[in-house]
Amino acid sequence: MADKRTIKVNGKEIDVEPGLTLLQACEAAGEEIPRFCYHERLSVAGNCRMCLIEVAGGPPKPVASCAQNVRDLRPGPDGAPPELLTNTPMVKKAREGVMEFLLINHPLDCPICDQGGECDLQDQAVAYGRDGSRFEENKRAVEEKHMGPLIKTIMTRCIQCTRCVRFATEIAGVDDLGLLNRGENAEITTYLEKSIESELAGNLIDVCPVGALTSKPYAFSARPWELRKTESIDVMDAVGSNIRIDARGREVMRILPRLHEDVNEEWLGDKSRFIWDGLKNQRLDKPYIRENGKLRPASWDEAFAMAAEKINAAGAEKTAALVGDLVPAEAVKALKDLTDSLGIKNRDCRQDGALLGGERSSYLFNTGIAGLEQADAILLIGSNPRIEAPLVNARIRKNWLHNLDLKIGVIGEAADLTYDYDHLGESAAAIGDVMAGKGDFAQALKAAERPVIIIGMGALAREDGTAILAQAAKLAETIGAVKQGWNGFNILHTAAARVGALDLGFLPGEGGRDSNAILDGVASGEIEVVYNLGADEIAPEKLKKAFVIYQGHHGDHGAMSADVIFPGAAYSEQNGTYVNMEGRVQQTHRAYFPFGDAREDWAILRAFSDRLGKTLPYDDLFALRQAMIADAPVLCQLDHIEVGAGIDLSKLGREGAISDAPLKSSVSDYYFTNPIARASGTMAACSAARNAPMAVAAE
């Protein structure tokens, strides 16, 4: 084990990597080391001194274990392994002294502090502190800071660990926070009185080890021990972040990230974290039918009867089905089976019109989210990952920070992506220039061993989307983006349900219409009935000529055009399967029951099939999932992706003319991308704060 080094921790021998800090080495040996400023994903600051330990035979004073590496240790007498001691009287006294210093100015806010019960300072004061203080001076007070609608500040509690500053600068990539002044006057502050302009700002709450930064929407709402905690999956984008839903009764009180190294690490986007108030606003909790131009509450029986009558009268040729962005795979499978039994071929899961499908790897993020850290050249086409998938953008930034040779190019709108890049042009014509080797970036892309091409919905959801896809595939072939053990051809999805629906084949049948053709058919009168399963991004006026059966959970765009409404369950209210952009199958778990008469999506379709005389062959979720897996066997492999799978690039897209129109991100406002977000007051406040004009001081 030449690459490892033997050390002793409290008399126990252990082999560790020389690059580990002493703190990590002690924890590898099973010893707990207290800390405030140290965080595994941030740079080392070494300014809280809580992690002090003793090095046997070393200096006659404690050592900050976070700031020294194993390779720096000298061997003991006769070449004996160096020894670390974590519980000697010297260490105990040193930690008590540090804790005493940290509490000099800390207010006695525990009874009213939202961090109570989850506070590192509270826990470590009990475990490592003294039972009294020798300081009798008055405590200092610090003015509160404005950090926007998400973060509540009580800066008197701050212990200057600088975790928030390092997170904002290193992970989020914004320079909005810093430490001013020295000594007793030191304070963390925003440089300007404005919101922190990051889609990852909520993570500042998680990294703060005290109650200085807490959640403003959650303030004074609940204590952690009151909440029922449910592990689930986020559906605000196609990343599939692992989350924990904390609910009290039928009300979600907060959403927190769970650790998943390959997906979201331990971070979470602000929309995913703070949309929980939208889960209770503008909800559809009973069936409705439209009479004399107005919707009125109805019974399930009435709603089913009217919907079935219209479908039977229109017939399969004049009926269509659309699937939205937040729908679990179980509901997609149920609707697919129902349309098959009725002979309906006009159906689509791509409400934005992006014509993806076919071979599975042709519509996946094949490199994998974690795989982005291995790339040595990245080309973004028609995508702004900062607002489409903030955690994918954070991975790219992570690679950019640690790999000085990484080259990044962008074809599309120029935006602040939190890292440097070469802007190659606004239109898709620039793909041809890169293929021809024009410019430094094109040469770097061709020379790269692990090149990555990322195509966003801004490029694919256009009339010339298939032509752009074909051109991008040609470029990938030219530079060798797909080879043995590496697939650098990636589609950046924005819809959580899209990949699962494509896996299940919810696409037009032979001779059937896709989403754009369905809307054209509605306008011309050729499509008379549309079953809209949660497709809320279609403008209501585009469906007004058809009879619309809407199944969803919010009174949003879909409900505005509806003639019959079936109230469904949100992602937090049902057990569902979702497939993220990289093809990883994950499942949500019900945190509480749906509101009112609302039911799980698959159960509504099963009951409706009965009324249509085409009863679906499953009566419970297990049977449905068995049928779903038989249809798409990949759905049985939970939390698994096939990295580096091959792909036939020559079959992607269709040759055709490419428009000179500039490529724009498919997301215009990060905070308003789906019905849950649009129902959230917190998201509305965030959007208003982000778009507010910045005050300029008078000269």
Side-chain angles (χ1 to χ4, degrees):
M1 304 180 74
D3 58 336
K4 294 204 172 185
R5 186 159 177 199
T6 302
I7 63 170
K8 289 174 79 173
V9 179
N10 294 341
K12 175 184 175 183
E13 281 199 9
I14 182 173
D15 294 317
V16 295
E17 303 281 348
L20 291 186
T21 62
L22 303 189
L23 186 151
Q24 291 171 315
C26 290
E27 296 210 323
E31 298 294 336
E32 182 182 349
I33 305 295
R35 85 292 296 269
F36 292 112
C37 70
Y38 177 80
H39 192 284
E40 290 82 354
R41 301 184 198 278
L42 303 176
S43 60
V44 173
N47 55 1
C48 78
R49 318 311 279 183
M50 195 64 207
C51 64
L52 295 173
I53 63 171
E54 184 180 347
V55 178
K61 61 178 183 179
V63 171
S65 60
C66 71
Q68 186 172 338
N69 288 2
V70 170
R71 67 165 64 93
D72 300 326
L73 295 174
R74 294 181 300 176
D78 303 320
E83 184 169 8
L84 309 179
L85 304 167
T86 68
N87 50 17
T88 62
M90 178 203 287
V91 172
K92 184 175 184 295
K93 184 178 180 183
R95 288 175 180 169
E96 287 178 353
V98 169
M99 182 59 71
E100 199 173 353
F101 278 126
L102 290 173
L103 295 176
I104 290 174
N105 289 309
H106 197 79
L108 297 174
D109 275 352
C110 297
I112 61 159
C113 178
D114 273 321
Q115 200 84 343
E118 300 172 310
C119 177
D120 290 350
L121 186 64
Q122 218 174 34
D123 296 341
Q124 293 181 39
V126 171
Y128 304 104
R130 300 174 74 240
D131 60 357
S133 175
R134 290 166 286 180
F135 295 93
E136 297 178 353
E137 291 79 8
N138 290 333
K139 293 178 181 286
R140 74 163 187 167
V142 181
E143 194 175 313
E144 307 311 345
K145 307 295 184 290
H146 170 67
M147 291 190 185
L150 301 179
I151 299 174
K152 178 184 175 185
T153 65
I154 303 183
M155 300 311 291
T156 304
R157 300 173 185 162
C158 178
I159 60 171
Q160 287 90 43
C161 71
T162 69
R163 276 191 188 183
C164 56
V165 177
R166 284 175 285 145
F167 175 86
T169 308
E170 296 165 18
I171 309 291
V174 294
D175 294 325
D176 289 345
L177 286 176
L179 179 70
L180 294 184
N181 306 323
R182 298 178 66 187
E184 191 182 43
N185 297 318
E187 56 181 290
I188 303 287
T189 182
T190 51
Y191 294 120
L192 297 168
E193 283 287 313
K194 66 181 182 67
S195 298
I196 295 175
E197 294 191 351
S198 171
E199 296 72 29
L200 300 172
N203 295 291
L204 295 172
I205 298 163
D206 290 344
V207 298
C208 181
V210 296
L213 305 179
T214 56
S215 171
K216 191 175 279 188
Y218 173 70
F220 307 127
S221 296
R223 286 299 193 189
W225 54 84
E226 299 173 24
L227 305 176
R228 187 175 64 256
K229 302 165 179 64
T230 307
E231 294 187 350
S232 193
I233 302 299
D234 171 58
V235 300
M236 294 299 108
D237 54 28
V239 172
S241 300
N242 285 225
I243 60 171
R244 192 185 84 196
I245 299 173
D246 288 2
R248 186 171 59 191
R250 285 194 180 181
E251 187 174 0
V252 176
M253 306 304 292
R254 63 179 181 178
I255 295 173
L256 299 175
R258 285 189 293 130
L259 178 69
H260 195 305
E261 291 290 352
D262 292 334
V263 181
N264 57 307
E265 298 182 290
E266 60 187 81
W267 314 126
L268 193 59
D270 288 346
K271 183 168 51 178
S272 306
R273 184 188 292 265
F274 291 107
I275 50 85
W276 45 265
D277 63 317
L279 287 166
K280 63 181 178 181
N281 297 336
Q282 293 179 229
R283 289 302 301 268
L284 300 172
D285 59 355
K286 58 184 68 136
Y288 287 85
I289 59 176
R290 193 176 293 275
E291 284 184 352
N292 303 320
K294 291 186 177 181
L295 289 168
R296 70 161 177 84
S299 67
W300 275 109
D301 202 51
E302 272 185 290
F304 279 162
M306 178 181 273
E309 181 188 338
K310 291 293 182 179
I311 288 177
N312 289 330
E317 291 294 319
K318 294 188 175 183
T319 303
L322 293 168
V323 159
D325 294 345
L326 307 181
V327 181
E330 288 83 356
V332 176
K333 167 64 176 168
L335 184 56
K336 179 174 182 267
D337 287 352
L338 183 57
T339 53
D340 282 344
S341 66
L342 292 168
I344 296 169
K345 295 178 179 178
N346 307 313
R347 65 187 184 196
D348 206 346
C349 63
R350 306 160 300 188
Q351 63 174 323
D352 55 8
L355 297 179
L356 292 167
E359 186 184 358
R360 191 172 195 246
S361 50
S362 70
Y363 55 79
L364 292 184
F365 199 89
N366 293 291
T367 304
I369 295 169
L372 288 172
E373 295 181 27
Q374 301 170 36
D376 47 11
I378 299 174
L379 174 62
L380 297 165
I381 302 173
S383 173
N384 179 345
R386 181 171 175 182
I387 58 174
E388 294 170 23
L391 294 167
V392 170
N393 198 62
R395 288 279 187 170
I396 297 174
R397 175 175 168 79
K398 184 178 180 182
N399 188 353
W400 174 77
L401 277 178
H402 296 100
N403 180 4
L404 298 178
D405 297 327
L406 176 67
K407 300 293 182 187
I408 303 172
V410 171
I411 297 175
E413 59 185 340
D416 179 6
L417 298 179
T418 72
Y419 41 79
D420 297 335
Y421 59 83
D422 294 332
H423 189 227
L424 307 173
E426 292 197 341
S427 77
I431 301 173
D433 294 339
V434 175
M435 205 182 312
K438 295 179 182 176
D440 293 341
F441 176 79
Q443 296 301 321
L445 189 65
K446 284 192 174 182
E449 288 184 23
R450 294 178 299 279
V452 165
I453 295 175
I454 298 174
I455 309 164
M457 291 299 125
L460 298 174
R462 309 185 346 157
E463 288 187 10
D464 59 351
T466 54
I468 294 174
L469 181 61
Q471 184 83 331
K474 267 189 187 174
L475 173 60
E477 206 161 13
T478 303
I479 64 172
V482 180
K483 50 194 168 189
Q484 185 67 37
W486 180 258
N487 189 335
F489 190 81
N490 301 292
I491 305 297
L492 184 71
H493 288 277
T494 53
R498 184 72 50 84
V499 175
L502 289 171
D503 284 344
L504 287 164
F506 196 89
L507 297 169
E510 191 174 342
R513 297 170 180 257
D514 62 22
S515 57
N516 288 332
I518 288 170
L519 296 179
D520 292 341
V522 169
S524 65
E526 295 170 5
I527 298 291
E528 295 178 358
V529 177
V530 175
Y531 196 108
N532 180 347
L533 178 56
D536 283 283
E537 308 313 310
I538 297 171
E541 58 270 17
K542 290 187 177 181
L543 292 171
K544 66 181 179 182
K545 290 190 175 180
F547 182 90
V548 178
I549 303 159
Y550 174 70
Q551 179 178 329
H553 40 76
H554 276 76
D556 202 68
H557 297 159
M560 290 178 194
S561 60
D563 296 286
V564 173
I565 292 176
F566 298 159
Y571 75 102
S572 54
E573 299 157 7
Q574 59 184 325
N575 299 312
T577 301
Y578 289 88
V579 187
N580 78 348
M581 64 171 74
E582 53 182 355
R584 187 184 301 274
V585 182
Q586 303 182 108
Q587 291 181 339
T588 59
H589 296 105
R590 184 172 60 208
Y592 53 96
F593 286 92
F595 292 88
D597 292 331
R599 295 293 181 266
E600 294 187 11
D601 287 327
W602 76 268
I604 294 171
L605 286 157
R606 169 64 179 77
F608 186 47
S609 71
D610 237 1
R611 178 55 65 99
L612 287 166
K614 302 287 185 182
T615 305
L616 295 174
Y618 25 79
D619 297 326
D620 56 39
L621 190 61
F622 178 77
L624 170 55
R625 283 181 171 166
Q626 293 298 105
M628 186 175 77
I629 290 166
D631 213 4
V634 292
L635 297 180
C636 73
Q637 301 178 24
L638 291 180
D639 200 24
H640 170 79
I641 61 170
E642 201 174 332
V643 177
I647 177 175
D648 188 349
L649 293 168
S650 63
K651 293 183 179 177
L652 297 190
R654 287 197 298 267
E655 294 290 336
I658 293 178
S659 164
D660 288 334
L663 297 173
K664 292 185 177 179
S665 170
S666 59
V667 175
S668 56
D669 190 331
Y670 168 71
Y671 300 104
F672 288 147
T673 56
N674 61 61
I676 302 175
R678 287 189 285 269
S680 166
T682 304
M683 292 298 100
C686 288
S687 181
R690 177 64 62 90
N691 298 318
M694 186 173 159
V696 179
E699 293 185 4

